[in-house]
Amino acid sequence: WNNKEIVWIDKDVSGKWSVLHNTRPWTTTGIKSTASVTADDKLGTSLAINATGTLAIAGAPEQGAGAIIPYKRAESGALIEGNVQTDATIGDSLDSYGKAVAVGTDYIAVGAPDTESGKGAVFIYYVDETGTLNRRPALRPNGLGGSASYGTSVAMSGNGRHLFVGAPGSNSVYSYTLVNIPTSSITSKTITGTGSAGAYALGFTPI
């Protein structure tokens, strides 16, 4: 029975006429690639999409030290390739970047398990309203062993509140919860110096 074929049944279990239409749940909308990667870069090793289907991330961990390619869905429904993120755009020491990816509402996490000779790291990005990826501090737990491979797997809840990171080399899973600092706790202070060496009081206690 081929896709989209229609079959008429003269009598169903209730003794009535029926018309059945074979419709498959998934329809191919295209194949995504990018000119900046080759077959040896292993594009597609990892894939993740947000809950609304407006942003997908694909990992290519063997393109140099690794890369990720964001695909943003336009109002027309088309997926548009964003700027490829690599070690050159990150400006940080990493390896196998993109071997694992996770996407939440406003944040994405990218595993780089071979970073620092196998200790591993996870790179965090905030996704703004334009779909631009903005770097946030990377996760590099203290005490990781040389073969922890932290970042081999990452999983994020759909709302982006919870993150799990696998470190199979140490038989460990790290769990994180997003902490939002309330606006009332954010303080801005301008300190004016005289040009001479000295210490200046902040006037508030950092949190």
Side-chain angles (χ1 to χ4, degrees), residues 113 116-120 144-150 167-170:
E116 293 188 44
S117 301
K119 287 185 177 181
L144 285 174
S147 59
S149 297
Y150 173 84
S170 62

Side-chain angles (χ1 to χ4, degrees), residues 48-168:
I49 188 170
N50 66 2
T52 59
T54 56
L55 176 66
I57 303 294
E62 296 189 28
Q63 184 191 13
I68 61 168
I69 297 89
Y71 296 99
K72 294 173 282 188
R73 188 172 298 280
E75 291 184 3
S76 63
L79 281 178
I80 301 174
E81 181 183 319
N83 294 326
V84 177
Q85 303 291 317
T86 66
D87 59 335
T89 60
I90 294 171
D92 205 337
S93 174
L94 51 86
D95 199 2
S96 293
Y97 171 81
K99 190 167 186 176
V101 294
V103 184
T105 303
D106 299 316
Y107 289 90
I108 73 168
V110 183
D114 291 331
T115 297
E116 293 188 44
S117 301
K119 287 185 177 181
V122 171
F123 294 84
I124 304 297
Y125 295 85
Y126 171 72
V127 184
D128 63 26
E129 60 277 2
T130 67
T132 301
L133 307 185
N134 301 275
R135 268 288 306 277
R136 292 294 185 265
L139 301 178
R140 302 173 188 261
N142 294 325
L144 285 174
S147 59
S149 297
Y150 173 84
T152 296
S153 57
V154 291
M156 187 180 293
S157 60
N159 61 5
R161 299 289 302 176
H162 305 283
L163 173 67
F164 290 82
V165 179

